[in-house]
Amino acid sequence: EADIYQTPRYLVIGTGKKITLECSQTMGHDKMYWYQQDPGMELHLIHYSYGVNSTEKGDLSSESTVSRIRTEHFPLTLESARPSHTSQYLCASSEYGDNSPLHFGNGTRLTVT
Amino acid sequence: GQNIDQPTEMTATEGAIVQINCTYQTSGFNGLFWYQQHAGEAPTFLSYNVLDGLEEKGRFSSFLSRSKGYSYLLLKELQMKDSASYLCAVLDSNYQLIWGAGTKLIIKP
């Protein structure tokens, strides 16, 4: 039973479109994260949040934005999708402690044509 | 720069034991995680080590040597369902997670 939900699971869109990937968690976790994962490659941090109204940029943040208006919701927006954005996007959450493990959603597989 | 090294792929036989190694060079160290990720699914947490030594959790154990920048995940009594990728990740001095590319483990009958 998933406690962190991502929608859509799969998305195919054209270049230049604006898209929002949704992520919600029901665990009351303060910390939330967005990662990008390509096959056989390490996870890259896009954005993270330590709580409501807190957002920080990761390594790959320059082409996307996030918001954290509610504890449970952390959407990721690509203003203008490009083929280079084709990837798997994973949302995660954790309790506040620095060594708390991440709980991941099942991901959104995005293809930009 | 910061780096995590893991073998890309390993093959083992059902019922056997396999050791997946992870070496790291990071700016500081605040702990090491292992995650399991089945194809097309989310990574799930397996273990966390911050002190040297072996942590055992059922069929899975994780070892850490901070002086050597080295960890391994030991899987015993392998089952077909253990076929997955195993991700090593280190918390650096800024408490940011540095991820390895993962080791794909293939279990053969």
mmCIF file of all heavy atoms in Angstrom, chain A residues 50-87:
data_model
loop_
_atom_site.group_PDB
_atom_site.id
_atom_site.type_symbol
_atom_site.label_atom_id
_atom_site.label_comp_id
_atom_site.label_asym_id
_atom_site.label_seq_id
_atom_site.Cartn_x
_atom_site.Cartn_y
_atom_site.Cartn_z
ATOM 1 N N TYR A 50 11.987 21.289 3.071
ATOM 2 C CA TYR A 50 12.055 20.867 4.470
ATOM 3 C C TYR A 50 10.748 21.149 5.216
ATOM 4 O O TYR A 50 10.669 20.902 6.423
ATOM 5 C CB TYR A 50 13.220 21.540 5.172
ATOM 6 C CG TYR A 50 14.582 21.000 4.781
ATOM 7 C CD1 TYR A 50 15.734 21.750 4.983
ATOM 8 C CD2 TYR A 50 14.718 19.749 4.203
ATOM 9 C CE1 TYR A 50 16.982 21.258 4.629
ATOM 10 C CE2 TYR A 50 15.946 19.247 3.840
ATOM 11 C CZ TYR A 50 17.077 20.009 4.052
ATOM 12 O OH TYR A 50 18.301 19.519 3.703
ATOM 13 N N GLY A 51 9.778 21.703 4.504
ATOM 14 C CA GLY A 51 8.497 21.960 5.120
ATOM 15 C C GLY A 51 7.705 22.962 4.302
ATOM 16 O O GLY A 51 8.154 23.432 3.251
ATOM 17 N N VAL A 52 6.514 23.302 4.800
ATOM 18 C CA VAL A 52 5.649 24.246 4.081
ATOM 19 C C VAL A 52 6.391 25.561 3.840
ATOM 20 O O VAL A 52 7.079 26.079 4.727
ATOM 21 C CB VAL A 52 4.357 24.480 4.883
ATOM 22 C CG1 VAL A 52 3.537 25.600 4.276
ATOM 23 C CG2 VAL A 52 3.536 23.205 4.937
ATOM 24 N N ASN A 53 6.241 26.058 2.616
ATOM 25 C CA ASN A 53 6.844 27.317 2.163
ATOM 26 C C ASN A 53 8.370 27.287 2.116
ATOM 27 O O ASN A 53 9.006 28.343 1.999
ATOM 28 C CB ASN A 53 6.371 28.498 3.022
ATOM 29 C CG ASN A 53 4.895 28.768 2.863
ATOM 30 O OD1 ASN A 53 4.334 28.595 1.778
ATOM 31 N ND2 ASN A 53 4.243 29.171 3.942
ATOM 32 N N SER A 54 8.947 26.106 2.195
ATOM 33 C CA SER A 54 10.394 25.928 2.068
ATOM 34 C C SER A 54 10.692 25.123 0.820
ATOM 35 O O SER A 54 10.182 24.002 0.672
ATOM 36 C CB SER A 54 10.921 25.178 3.295
ATOM 37 O OG SER A 54 12.076 24.420 2.982
ATOM 38 N N THR A 55 11.486 25.676 -0.102
ATOM 39 C CA THR A 55 11.939 24.911 -1.267
ATOM 40 C C THR A 55 13.392 25.270 -1.552
ATOM 41 O O THR A 55 13.810 26.418 -1.364
ATOM 42 C CB THR A 55 11.102 25.196 -2.537
ATOM 43 O OG1 THR A 55 11.198 26.570 -2.858
ATOM 44 C CG2 THR A 55 9.647 24.803 -2.336
ATOM 45 N N GLU A 56 14.139 24.260 -1.984
ATOM 46 C CA GLU A 56 15.547 24.452 -2.287
ATOM 47 C C GLU A 56 15.856 23.782 -3.620
ATOM 48 O O GLU A 56 15.224 22.780 -3.977
ATOM 49 C CB GLU A 56 16.428 23.806 -1.200
ATOM 50 C CG GLU A 56 16.202 24.337 0.195
ATOM 51 C CD GLU A 56 16.734 25.743 0.389
ATOM 52 O OE1 GLU A 56 17.568 26.184 -0.426
ATOM 53 O OE2 GLU A 56 16.300 26.403 1.360
ATOM 54 N N LYS A 57 16.875 24.294 -4.310
ATOM 55 C CA LYS A 57 17.263 23.731 -5.594
ATOM 56 C C LYS A 57 18.328 22.665 -5.413
ATOM 57 O O LYS A 57 19.225 22.801 -4.589
ATOM 58 C CB LYS A 57 17.788 24.837 -6.516
ATOM 59 C CG LYS A 57 16.734 25.855 -6.898
ATOM 60 C CD LYS A 57 17.307 26.908 -7.840
ATOM 61 C CE LYS A 57 16.214 27.893 -8.248
ATOM 62 N NZ LYS A 57 16.728 28.912 -9.192
ATOM 63 N N GLY A 58 18.227 21.624 -6.224
ATOM 64 C CA GLY A 58 19.246 20.595 -6.264
ATOM 65 C C GLY A 58 20.166 20.800 -7.444
ATOM 66 O O GLY A 58 20.358 21.922 -7.913
ATOM 67 N N ASP A 59 20.699 19.693 -7.960
ATOM 68 C CA ASP A 59 21.690 19.781 -9.035
ATOM 69 C C ASP A 59 21.083 20.138 -10.384
ATOM 70 O O ASP A 59 21.717 20.770 -11.215
ATOM 71 C CB ASP A 59 22.415 18.434 -9.183
ATOM 72 C CG ASP A 59 23.075 18.015 -7.901
ATOM 73 O OD1 ASP A 59 23.488 18.893 -7.140
ATOM 74 O OD2 ASP A 59 23.171 16.793 -7.664
ATOM 75 N N LEU A 60 19.843 19.709 -10.629
ATOM 76 C CA LEU A 60 19.235 19.819 -11.954
ATOM 77 C C LEU A 60 18.016 20.719 -11.949
ATOM 78 O O LEU A 60 17.063 20.477 -12.665
ATOM 79 C CB LEU A 60 18.824 18.423 -12.452
ATOM 80 C CG LEU A 60 19.934 17.404 -12.665
ATOM 81 C CD1 LEU A 60 19.339 16.073 -13.123
ATOM 82 C CD2 LEU A 60 20.937 17.903 -13.690
ATOM 83 N N SER A 61 18.027 21.769 -11.162
ATOM 84 C CA SER A 61 16.806 22.519 -10.909
ATOM 85 C C SER A 61 16.501 23.600 -11.921
ATOM 86 O O SER A 61 15.401 24.146 -11.926
ATOM 87 C CB SER A 61 16.889 23.167 -9.534
ATOM 88 O OG SER A 61 17.993 24.060 -9.502
ATOM 89 N N SER A 62 17.450 23.952 -12.799
ATOM 90 C CA SER A 62 17.334 25.204 -13.539
ATOM 91 C C SER A 62 16.139 25.264 -14.472
ATOM 92 O O SER A 62 15.721 26.351 -14.866
ATOM 93 C CB SER A 62 18.605 25.446 -14.341
ATOM 94 O OG SER A 62 18.783 24.402 -15.272
ATOM 95 N N GLU A 63 15.569 24.123 -14.842
ATOM 96 C CA GLU A 63 14.504 24.159 -15.838
ATOM 97 C C GLU A 63 13.165 23.763 -15.255
ATOM 98 O O GLU A 63 12.238 23.442 -15.999
ATOM 99 C CB GLU A 63 14.886 23.237 -17.001
ATOM 100 C CG GLU A 63 16.175 23.691 -17.679
ATOM 101 C CD GLU A 63 16.686 22.670 -18.668
ATOM 102 O OE1 GLU A 63 16.115 21.577 -18.771
ATOM 103 O OE2 GLU A 63 17.668 22.978 -19.354
ATOM 104 N N SER A 64 13.056 23.773 -13.926
ATOM 105 C CA SER A 64 11.807 23.370 -13.294
ATOM 106 C C SER A 64 11.587 24.169 -12.019
ATOM 107 O O SER A 64 12.507 24.796 -11.500
ATOM 108 C CB SER A 64 11.839 21.872 -12.967
ATOM 109 O OG SER A 64 12.902 21.594 -12.062
ATOM 110 N N THR A 65 10.343 24.152 -11.560
ATOM 111 C CA THR A 65 10.001 24.821 -10.307
ATOM 112 C C THR A 65 9.140 23.898 -9.459
ATOM 113 O O THR A 65 8.512 22.967 -9.985
ATOM 114 C CB THR A 65 9.224 26.123 -10.561
ATOM 115 O OG1 THR A 65 8.035 25.819 -11.309
ATOM 116 C CG2 THR A 65 10.061 27.129 -11.332
ATOM 117 N N VAL A 66 9.113 24.144 -8.160
ATOM 118 C CA VAL A 66 8.276 23.390 -7.232
ATOM 119 C C VAL A 66 7.581 24.368 -6.297
ATOM 120 O O VAL A 66 7.961 25.537 -6.197
ATOM 121 C CB VAL A 66 9.088 22.381 -6.388
ATOM 122 C CG1 VAL A 66 9.618 21.244 -7.239
ATOM 123 C CG2 VAL A 66 10.236 23.092 -5.664
ATOM 124 N N SER A 67 6.575 23.866 -5.609
ATOM 125 C CA SER A 67 5.905 24.638 -4.574
ATOM 126 C C SER A 67 5.562 23.696 -3.427
ATOM 127 O O SER A 67 5.412 22.488 -3.626
ATOM 128 C CB SER A 67 4.634 25.305 -5.107
ATOM 129 O OG SER A 67 3.703 24.329 -5.538
ATOM 130 N N ARG A 68 5.446 24.263 -2.220
ATOM 131 C CA ARG A 68 5.073 23.459 -1.045
ATOM 132 C C ARG A 68 4.127 24.299 -0.196
ATOM 133 O O ARG A 68 4.515 24.896 0.798
ATOM 134 C CB ARG A 68 6.338 23.076 -0.262
ATOM 135 C CG ARG A 68 6.056 22.050 0.839
ATOM 136 C CD ARG A 68 6.173 20.658 0.373
ATOM 137 N NE ARG A 68 5.826 19.681 1.376
ATOM 138 C CZ ARG A 68 6.677 19.213 2.306
ATOM 139 N NH1 ARG A 68 7.924 19.664 2.352
ATOM 140 N NH2 ARG A 68 6.272 18.308 3.153
ATOM 141 N N ILE A 69 2.892 24.310 -0.634
ATOM 142 C CA ILE A 69 1.864 25.089 0.052
ATOM 143 C C ILE A 69 1.225 24.270 1.168
ATOM 144 O O ILE A 69 0.794 24.809 2.191
ATOM 145 C CB ILE A 69 0.804 25.564 -0.959
ATOM 146 C CG1 ILE A 69 1.458 26.448 -2.020
ATOM 147 C CG2 ILE A 69 -0.312 26.311 -0.258
ATOM 148 C CD1 ILE A 69 0.544 26.824 -3.155
ATOM 149 N N ARG A 70 1.183 22.954 0.977
ATOM 150 C CA ARG A 70 0.656 22.044 2.005
ATOM 151 C C ARG A 70 1.698 20.980 2.292
ATOM 152 O O ARG A 70 2.463 20.591 1.404
ATOM 153 C CB ARG A 70 -0.636 21.388 1.528
ATOM 154 C CG ARG A 70 -1.719 22.355 1.111
ATOM 155 C CD ARG A 70 -3.085 21.671 1.022
ATOM 156 N NE ARG A 70 -3.073 20.380 0.368
ATOM 157 C CZ ARG A 70 -3.315 20.192 -0.926
ATOM 158 N NH1 ARG A 70 -3.552 21.213 -1.709
ATOM 159 N NH2 ARG A 70 -3.322 18.968 -1.438
ATOM 160 N N THR A 71 1.721 20.479 3.495
ATOM 161 C CA THR A 71 2.709 19.474 3.891
ATOM 162 C C THR A 71 2.679 18.271 2.971
ATOM 163 O O THR A 71 3.723 17.721 2.605
ATOM 164 C CB THR A 71 2.445 19.012 5.338
ATOM 165 O OG1 THR A 71 2.603 20.121 6.212
ATOM 166 C CG2 THR A 71 3.402 17.894 5.745
ATOM 167 N N GLU A 72 1.475 17.841 2.582
ATOM 168 C CA GLU A 72 1.343 16.581 1.874
ATOM 169 C C GLU A 72 1.570 16.681 0.367
ATOM 170 O O GLU A 72 1.643 15.665 -0.303
ATOM 171 C CB GLU A 72 -0.053 15.985 2.131
ATOM 172 C CG GLU A 72 -1.210 16.840 1.656
ATOM 173 C CD GLU A 72 -1.693 17.819 2.698
ATOM 174 O OE1 GLU A 72 -0.923 18.159 3.625
ATOM 175 O OE2 GLU A 72 -2.857 18.264 2.586
ATOM 176 N N HIS A 73 1.709 17.887 -0.185
ATOM 177 C CA HIS A 73 1.688 18.062 -1.636
ATOM 178 C C HIS A 73 2.941 18.790 -2.114
ATOM 179 O O HIS A 73 3.297 19.856 -1.561
ATOM 180 C CB HIS A 73 0.428 18.855 -2.005
ATOM 181 C CG HIS A 73 0.122 18.854 -3.458
ATOM 182 N ND1 HIS A 73 -0.413 19.967 -4.098
ATOM 183 C CD2 HIS A 73 0.242 17.900 -4.402
ATOM 184 C CE1 HIS A 73 -0.576 19.684 -5.369
ATOM 185 N NE2 HIS A 73 -0.202 18.435 -5.584
ATOM 186 N N PHE A 74 3.603 18.237 -3.152
ATOM 187 C CA PHE A 74 4.870 18.812 -3.621
ATOM 188 C C PHE A 74 4.948 18.656 -5.142
ATOM 189 O O PHE A 74 5.674 17.800 -5.656
ATOM 190 C CB PHE A 74 6.035 18.086 -2.924
ATOM 191 C CG PHE A 74 7.389 18.720 -3.107
ATOM 192 C CD1 PHE A 74 7.574 20.089 -2.996
ATOM 193 C CD2 PHE A 74 8.514 17.924 -3.334
ATOM 194 C CE1 PHE A 74 8.829 20.665 -3.135
ATOM 195 C CE2 PHE A 74 9.787 18.482 -3.467
ATOM 196 C CZ PHE A 74 9.935 19.852 -3.370
ATOM 197 N N PRO A 75 4.238 19.467 -5.893
ATOM 198 C CA PRO A 75 4.229 19.325 -7.347
ATOM 199 C C PRO A 75 5.471 19.917 -8.007
ATOM 200 O O PRO A 75 6.061 20.889 -7.516
ATOM 201 C CB PRO A 75 2.972 20.121 -7.754
ATOM 202 C CG PRO A 75 2.810 21.133 -6.675
ATOM 203 C CD PRO A 75 3.292 20.485 -5.405
ATOM 204 N N LEU A 76 5.845 19.320 -9.129
ATOM 205 C CA LEU A 76 7.001 19.744 -9.933
ATOM 206 C C LEU A 76 6.496 20.224 -11.285
ATOM 207 O O LEU A 76 5.761 19.497 -11.950
ATOM 208 C CB LEU A 76 7.974 18.574 -10.125
ATOM 209 C CG LEU A 76 9.158 18.794 -11.058
ATOM 210 C CD1 LEU A 76 10.193 19.679 -10.402
ATOM 211 C CD2 LEU A 76 9.788 17.456 -11.450
ATOM 212 N N THR A 77 6.899 21.425 -11.707
ATOM 213 C CA THR A 77 6.449 21.986 -12.969
ATOM 214 C C THR A 77 7.624 22.221 -13.909
ATOM 215 O O THR A 77 8.640 22.806 -13.513
ATOM 216 C CB THR A 77 5.708 23.329 -12.736
ATOM 217 O OG1 THR A 77 4.549 23.097 -11.947
ATOM 218 C CG2 THR A 77 5.303 23.958 -14.058
ATOM 219 N N LEU A 78 7.456 21.732 -15.141
ATOM 220 C CA LEU A 78 8.383 22.059 -16.229
ATOM 221 C C LEU A 78 7.694 23.102 -17.092
ATOM 222 O O LEU A 78 6.632 22.829 -17.649
ATOM 223 C CB LEU A 78 8.708 20.818 -17.058
ATOM 224 C CG LEU A 78 9.514 19.719 -16.391
ATOM 225 C CD1 LEU A 78 9.655 18.523 -17.321
ATOM 226 C CD2 LEU A 78 10.876 20.223 -15.970
ATOM 227 N N GLU A 79 8.270 24.272 -17.181
ATOM 228 C CA GLU A 79 7.618 25.378 -17.900
ATOM 229 C C GLU A 79 7.566 25.133 -19.401
ATOM 230 O O GLU A 79 6.600 25.491 -20.069
ATOM 231 C CB GLU A 79 8.339 26.687 -17.611
ATOM 232 C CG GLU A 79 8.226 27.154 -16.170
ATOM 233 C CD GLU A 79 6.796 27.550 -15.789
ATOM 234 O OE1 GLU A 79 6.006 27.947 -16.681
ATOM 235 O OE2 GLU A 79 6.461 27.453 -14.590
ATOM 236 N N SER A 80 8.611 24.523 -19.949
ATOM 237 C CA SER A 80 8.673 24.284 -21.392
ATOM 238 C C SER A 80 9.452 22.993 -21.618
ATOM 239 O O SER A 80 10.683 22.985 -21.573
ATOM 240 C CB SER A 80 9.355 25.463 -22.100
ATOM 241 O OG SER A 80 9.428 25.228 -23.494
ATOM 242 N N ALA A 81 8.729 21.923 -21.838
ATOM 243 C CA ALA A 81 9.361 20.607 -21.926
ATOM 244 C C ALA A 81 10.219 20.490 -23.183
ATOM 245 O O ALA A 81 9.877 21.012 -24.252
ATOM 246 C CB ALA A 81 8.297 19.519 -21.912
ATOM 247 N N ARG A 82 11.366 19.780 -23.006
ATOM 248 C CA ARG A 82 12.270 19.510 -24.126
ATOM 249 C C ARG A 82 12.570 18.020 -24.153
ATOM 250 O O ARG A 82 12.466 17.341 -23.127
ATOM 251 C CB ARG A 82 13.568 20.288 -23.958
ATOM 252 C CG ARG A 82 13.421 21.798 -23.930
ATOM 253 C CD ARG A 82 14.723 22.452 -24.389
ATOM 254 N NE ARG A 82 15.856 22.021 -23.588
ATOM 255 C CZ ARG A 82 16.309 22.686 -22.545
ATOM 256 N NH1 ARG A 82 15.704 23.787 -22.156
ATOM 257 N NH2 ARG A 82 17.356 22.267 -21.883
ATOM 258 N N PRO A 83 13.009 17.496 -25.312
ATOM 259 C CA PRO A 83 13.354 16.061 -25.373
ATOM 260 C C PRO A 83 14.380 15.653 -24.324
ATOM 261 O O PRO A 83 14.353 14.515 -23.848
ATOM 262 C CB PRO A 83 13.904 15.914 -26.793
ATOM 263 C CG PRO A 83 13.151 16.943 -27.584
ATOM 264 C CD PRO A 83 13.010 18.124 -26.652
ATOM 265 N N SER A 84 15.269 16.576 -23.910
ATOM 266 C CA SER A 84 16.258 16.249 -22.878
ATOM 267 C C SER A 84 15.615 16.010 -21.514
ATOM 268 O O SER A 84 16.269 15.489 -20.602
ATOM 269 C CB SER A 84 17.296 17.361 -22.755
ATOM 270 O OG SER A 84 16.677 18.580 -22.396
ATOM 271 N N HIS A 85 14.347 16.364 -21.356
ATOM 272 C CA HIS A 85 13.635 16.107 -20.100
ATOM 273 C C HIS A 85 13.062 14.697 -20.036
ATOM 274 O O HIS A 85 12.522 14.298 -19.006
ATOM 275 C CB HIS A 85 12.487 17.114 -19.916
ATOM 276 C CG HIS A 85 12.950 18.511 -19.689
ATOM 277 N ND1 HIS A 85 12.349 19.607 -20.294
ATOM 278 C CD2 HIS A 85 13.955 19.004 -18.933
ATOM 279 C CE1 HIS A 85 12.972 20.700 -19.913
ATOM 280 N NE2 HIS A 85 13.948 20.379 -19.090
ATOM 281 N N THR A 86 13.177 13.956 -21.123
ATOM 282 C CA THR A 86 12.699 12.584 -21.123
ATOM 283 C C THR A 86 13.458 11.782 -20.067
ATOM 284 O O THR A 86 14.681 11.668 -20.124
ATOM 285 C CB THR A 86 12.883 11.950 -22.507
ATOM 286 O OG1 THR A 86 12.044 12.626 -23.442
ATOM 287 C CG2 THR A 86 12.536 10.471 -22.478
ATOM 288 N N SER A 87 12.733 11.234 -19.098
ATOM 289 C CA SER A 87 13.378 10.564 -17.972
ATOM 290 C C SER A 87 12.310 10.015 -17.034
ATOM 291 O O SER A 87 11.114 10.182 -17.254
ATOM 292 C CB SER A 87 14.262 11.561 -17.215
ATOM 293 O OG SER A 87 15.023 10.916 -16.217
#
